[in-house]
Amino acid sequence: MMNEFIDNIVWHTLIGPHARYSSGTDRARVYAPGFSPFVGFPDLEHPDFHSLDPFVASGAQVYCDGWAGSAPAGWRIESEAILCKMIWKGIAPAAENTPGAIQPGAIPPEAFPPQAIRLDLRHASAALALATLTRPGPFAPRSMELGEYFGIFDGPRLLAMAGARTCAGGWSEITGICTHPDFQGRGLARRLLLKLIQDQTARGLTPFLRVMRDSVEARHFYRRMGFCDYRETTARMLVRTG
């Protein structure tokens, strides 16, 4: 069943909760510099890219999710991928520090702190470095201003993080899920995912996420966490050439 908010979540976020972080018109909007340059349109079947001309410099890259038409004049499609949008339909998890919230033995208590901590701009360089290394999707220096991000540290070293990004109509996206390669397989991503699911559902929001269709292991992991396939969309990176 189609839902206008989750099916065009970027647009509804850019004209709603994140309007102060974006620029554009009632026909097209884009995130401001410092954020990942997602663009949104009220009509994804007929996007008005020319409305972005005053707000996107020549040679700049933007990301568009949900549009699969031909490249408009003055733009070039740089890359394309198929994403699977998944909606959480599980049972509300226990708080992070209660039994069962983290798989017993997954993380030795002597090696890691008992809880994830809220990230802010003081952690921006560490978060950007981890995202650059692991490539969980578009991530920029100011991404953490768009929603709550949490991380797990070993001293000053950020081992894993995840956060919230687009949000509208009762939906909240979980994004930026990544773990340093040296610390994978220890339940860190699961801990952070549980934390975000708990926080979002407690506020009456329904979590969702987007994952590459070809990322079979990741999709299996999210299904085990209570996410269900909703629909596939075309995600593109475009460059303004005009």
Side-chain angles (χ1 to χ4, degrees):
M1 183 176 181
M2 303 290 283
N3 181 287
E4 65 170 312
F5 286 101
I6 193 170
D7 290 329
N8 197 2
I9 190 69
V10 175
W11 173 253
H12 286 289
T13 302
L14 288 173
I15 64 171
H18 292 174
R20 65 188 183 277
Y21 302 125
S22 70
S23 57
T25 70
D26 60 354
R27 298 186 61 83
R29 296 194 72 82
V30 61
Y31 276 107
F35 299 98
S36 297
F38 282 95
V39 296
F41 306 94
D43 183 356
L44 282 172
E45 292 186 4
H46 305 94
D48 185 358
F49 276 89
H50 296 299
S51 292
L52 292 171
D53 289 351
F55 311 102
V56 178
S58 179
Q61 298 176 339
V62 299
Y63 299 100
C64 184
D65 182 21
W67 164 71
S70 301
W75 292 83
R76 180 181 72 249
I77 299 172
E78 192 79 358
S79 63
E80 179 177 297
I82 302 299
L83 298 183
C84 178
K85 192 171 290 182
M86 305 181 74
I87 296 173
W88 188 76
K89 295 185 177 181
I91 300 172
E96 185 184 359
N97 59 356
T98 59
I102 303 172
Q103 184 176 353
I107 306 173
E110 69 277 6
F112 302 105
Q115 292 186 356
I117 69 168
R118 173 78 183 271
L119 301 180
D120 57 36
L121 292 181
R122 293 172 298 176
H123 310 107
S125 60
L128 186 60
L130 181 60
T132 301
L133 175 66
T134 58
R135 302 181 68 181
F139 190 87
R142 297 184 63 187
S143 289
M144 289 182 294
E145 295 179 48
L146 301 179
E148 293 184 335
Y149 274 76
F150 295 92
I152 296 177
F153 284 84
D154 179 15
R157 189 180 187 186
L158 180 60
L159 307 183
M161 71 172 179
R165 187 168 56 194
T166 56
C167 52
W171 301 93
S172 182
E173 179 187 19
I174 295 177
T175 185
I177 306 169
C178 56
T179 303
H180 192 285
D182 294 344
F183 296 89
Q184 292 179 354
R186 306 192 186 194
L188 302 182
R190 182 175 186 272
R191 171 185 289 200
L192 294 170
L193 202 55
L194 284 168
K195 171 66 174 172
L196 286 163
I197 291 171
Q198 184 207 14
D199 288 357
Q200 292 179 7
T201 55
R203 288 181 284 154
L205 303 173
T206 300
F208 76 95
L209 52 79
R210 289 176 280 193
V211 60
M212 299 283 286
R213 180 175 65 181
D214 297 337
S215 299
V216 178
E217 290 187 11
R219 291 176 66 180
H220 286 329
F221 167 69
Y222 294 135
R223 290 189 186 109
R224 292 195 300 270
M225 295 295 294
F227 288 86
C228 298
D229 293 349
Y230 172 63
R231 63 177 302 190
E232 293 182 348
T233 61
T234 300
R236 288 170 162 174
M237 183 175 72
L238 297 95
V239 175
R240 187 181 172 215
T241 61

